[in-house]
Amino acid sequence: MMNNLFSIFDPTTSEMYSLNWLSSLYILLFIPSLYWFIPSRYSFFFLNLLNYLISEFKMLLNLKSNLMNLLFLMSMFIFIMLNNFLGMFSYIFTSTAHLTFSLTLSLTLWFAFMLYGWIINTNHMFMHLVPEGTPSALMVFMVLIETISNLIRSGTLAVRLSANMIAGHLLMTLISSTGPSLSVFLLLMMLLSQTLLIVLELSVSIIQAYVFTVLSTLYSAETS
C-alpha cells in the first residue's frame, strides 16, 4: 500500500541498507558486448548512434580545443540514456528521477565550465554578460539578467531531466491504480494506453539524455 503517490520514487529498500542506487551501475552490463571480435546488431546500432551524435556535437564545439570534450560528452550521454532506459523495467530504481542524482551531475558540470571560463577566458566571459548591440541604458539590466541566467543553468538542467522522468511514471501509476475497479473493456483500453505510454517513455529516455548533453555542450562552447 503506497503512503503517497511519490513513494514509488523512494530510494530506500530497507531500514538497514539501500540497494536501489546500484541501478546506476547496471550500464556496466551493456559495455562488454561492444568489444566482441564479431560485432553484433546491438554494436552496429550503438556505433551508428554514437557516430551521428559525434557529428552533431562537432558542429556545436566550434573550436578544436573543445573537441577534447567529445569523449566525456558521449560517455555522459550513454550513462544518462541507459539509466533512463533501465528505469522503465519493473522493480528497477530510476536514479535520474531524483534531484540527488541529476543536480549533482549538473552542478559538477556547471561549476567546471564556470571555473574554466572565468579563469582561462575572463574577458570572453565578461563579453557574454553584455551582448553586442545592447543600448547603454540597458547594460546594467542585461548584466543582471545574464548573471541570473548563468546561475540557474544547473538547476534547470537537473529539474528538466528529473521532471520528465517522473511525469511518465506518475501518469502510468495513476492510470494503473484504477485497474481493479474497471470493466473488461475499460481494462483493455487501460492496457493499450499503458503500452503507448511505455513507448513514449522509451522515447523520452533517449530525448532527455540528448537534450541534457546538447545543453551541456552549448554551455561548454560558451566558455571558450
Side-chain angles (χ1 to χ4, degrees):
M1 185 68 181
M2 291 190 302
N3 296 324
N4 58 71
L5 189 60
F6 289 91
S7 63
I8 60 173
F9 301 103
D10 187 4
T12 303
T13 53
S14 171
E15 294 181 357
M16 301 297 296
Y17 57 87
S18 177
L19 298 178
N20 275 332
W21 288 105
L22 290 178
S23 63
S24 300
L25 302 178
Y26 285 174
I27 58 172
L28 298 177
L29 300 176
F30 291 84
I31 294 176
S33 60
L34 296 176
Y35 297 99
W36 287 98
F37 183 72
I38 301 176
S40 62
R41 292 183 178 179
Y42 161 71
S43 300
F44 279 118
F45 169 77
F46 212 75
L47 291 176
N48 287 333
L49 176 63
L50 294 183
N51 287 331
Y52 171 76
L53 291 174
I54 287 174
S55 63
E56 288 285 324
F57 292 157
K58 276 185 178 180
M59 294 187 294
L60 300 176
L61 299 173
N62 47 10
L63 297 179
K64 290 186 178 180
S65 59
N66 269 337
L67 294 179
M68 296 175 59
N69 296 330
L70 271 178
L71 180 60
F72 164 71
L73 292 169
M74 298 307 301
S75 302
M76 184 175 65
F77 170 80
I78 296 170
F79 181 66
I80 296 175
M81 182 188 69
L82 291 180
N83 273 286
N84 292 345
F85 177 74
L86 287 171
M88 296 302 302
F89 291 93
S90 301
Y91 306 109
I92 295 182
F93 173 62
T94 311
S95 57
T96 49
H98 275 258
L99 286 176
T100 305
F101 177 94
S102 57
L103 191 58
T104 301
L105 184 60
S106 62
L107 270 176
T108 305
L109 291 173
W110 175 83
F111 184 75
F113 294 153
M114 290 295 104
L115 193 65
Y116 174 83
W118 285 106
I119 292 177
I120 305 300
N121 298 312
T122 307
N123 292 333
H124 183 74
M125 296 297 291
F126 274 117
M127 290 171 59
H128 267 290
L129 295 178
V130 183
E132 186 178 356
T134 303
S136 301
L138 298 178
M139 284 185 178
V140 177
F141 298 102
M142 288 304 300
V143 170
L144 181 61
I145 293 171
E146 289 295 325
T147 302
I148 296 174
S149 174
N150 285 331
L151 290 176
I152 66 173
R153 281 178 175 179
S154 59
T156 55
L157 272 178
V159 171
R160 182 184 292 106
L161 176 60
S162 296
N164 280 280
M165 296 310 300
I166 287 175
H169 288 68
L170 284 179
L171 185 57
M172 286 190 288
T173 303
L174 285 171
I175 294 176
S176 61
S177 63
T178 60
S181 60
L182 296 178
S183 61
V184 176
F185 175 76
L186 291 178
L187 187 61
L188 291 176
M189 294 298 294
M190 185 198 74
L191 292 176
L192 178 61
S193 64
Q194 289 281 57
T195 303
L196 295 176
L197 280 174
I198 290 174
V199 174
L200 177 63
E201 279 294 287
L202 290 175
S203 303
V204 168
S205 65
I206 299 175
I207 292 171
Q208 287 306 312
Y210 176 75
V211 169
F212 191 98
T213 311
V214 167
L215 290 177
S216 300
T217 306
L218 292 173
Y219 297 158
S220 172
E222 286 184 6
T223 60
S224 57

